[in-house]
Amino acid sequence: MAASAPAISNWSDGVIGTTGSFPTSGFLVGGTAGVNYQIAEYVFGIEGDGDWTNLRGNSGSACGAISAVVTPPVSCQTQSQWLATVRGRVGYAFDRILLYGTAGAAFGNVQTGLNPPSTFDSAVEAGWTVGAGVEVALAQNWTAKAEYLFVDLPNATCTTAANCGGAAGSIVSFNENIIRAGVNYKFGPW
């Protein structure tokens, strides 16, 4: 499964200020596994996915209000190397089409640091995700799907002076908007 992932990050410190929201972008590649149970036209399921990501972005040539303690041209940078979700799925199937909504937990590797020197604090962060999609039966046991997910990983930090300089102690939020498509093999009905 491949994906496009425009995202937003924001660094904030209660004393120093904020970078304001800045864009991050990249792509994801991964896989999904799950189980579904169908009652008449209604489909209930649980699925999980894991993705390698190449998401990164920085605040530009300065760190917004945090620039008071960060010497330009240093920027605040946020990046991620993997993302996983565990979600419930509820849908309505008709003919060869399944429309569904999905929501659950999200986990990701969020890395924060100043650029330069391009060294980063790294932590696994937990958050939430919600989205919707459509899945179409192509042939016996094969389906194709397109899906949108919003992911919020709100509690990262940049804590070490070596990686964060005067911005150490900043709370970093990281939101992803994921649009992805994939091909699935199913064992049995929806």
Side-chain angles (χ1 to χ4, degrees):
M1 186 177 287
S4 165
I8 293 176
S9 184
N10 181 30
W11 290 38
S12 63
D13 182 288
V15 176
I16 300 169
T18 181
T19 60
S21 294
F22 59 88
T24 63
S25 62
F27 60 91
L28 299 94
V29 176
T32 301
V35 296
N36 292 314
Y37 182 73
Q38 185 168 356
I39 302 172
E41 294 87 15
Y42 298 96
V43 177
F44 304 90
I46 297 174
E47 60 185 24
D49 58 67
D51 298 292
W52 172 83
T53 68
N54 181 27
L55 300 173
R56 67 185 65 233
N58 63 57
S59 60
S61 62
C63 287
I66 293 176
S67 290
V69 294
V70 176
T71 306
V74 172
S75 63
C76 294
Q77 184 165 325
T78 306
Q79 59 189 38
S80 178
Q81 294 183 335
W82 63 266
L83 174 71
T85 70
V86 178
R87 296 171 283 118
R89 182 165 91 148
V90 176
Y92 183 80
F94 58 95
D95 195 21
R96 301 175 64 82
I97 299 171
L98 171 67
L99 300 174
Y100 64 90
T102 184
F107 308 91
N109 166 251
V110 179
Q111 298 175 340
T112 56
L114 300 181
N115 186 9
S118 298
T119 56
F120 300 94
D121 283 6
S122 180
V124 175
E125 301 298 335
W128 57 273
T129 183
V130 64
V134 59
E135 191 168 349
V136 178
L138 300 175
Q140 181 83 20
N141 295 0
W142 289 96
T143 67
K145 81 175 181 183
E147 181 175 73
Y148 165 79
L149 292 176
F150 174 80
V151 176
D152 186 12
L153 301 172
N155 299 315
T157 58
C158 196
T159 57
T160 64
N163 296 332
C164 311
S170 294
I171 297 171
V172 180
S173 65
F174 189 56
N175 300 330
E176 300 179 45
N177 291 287
I178 301 170
I179 301 169
R180 60 186 177 184
V183 176
N184 296 321
Y185 181 80
K186 63 185 183 73
F187 301 93
W190 284 104

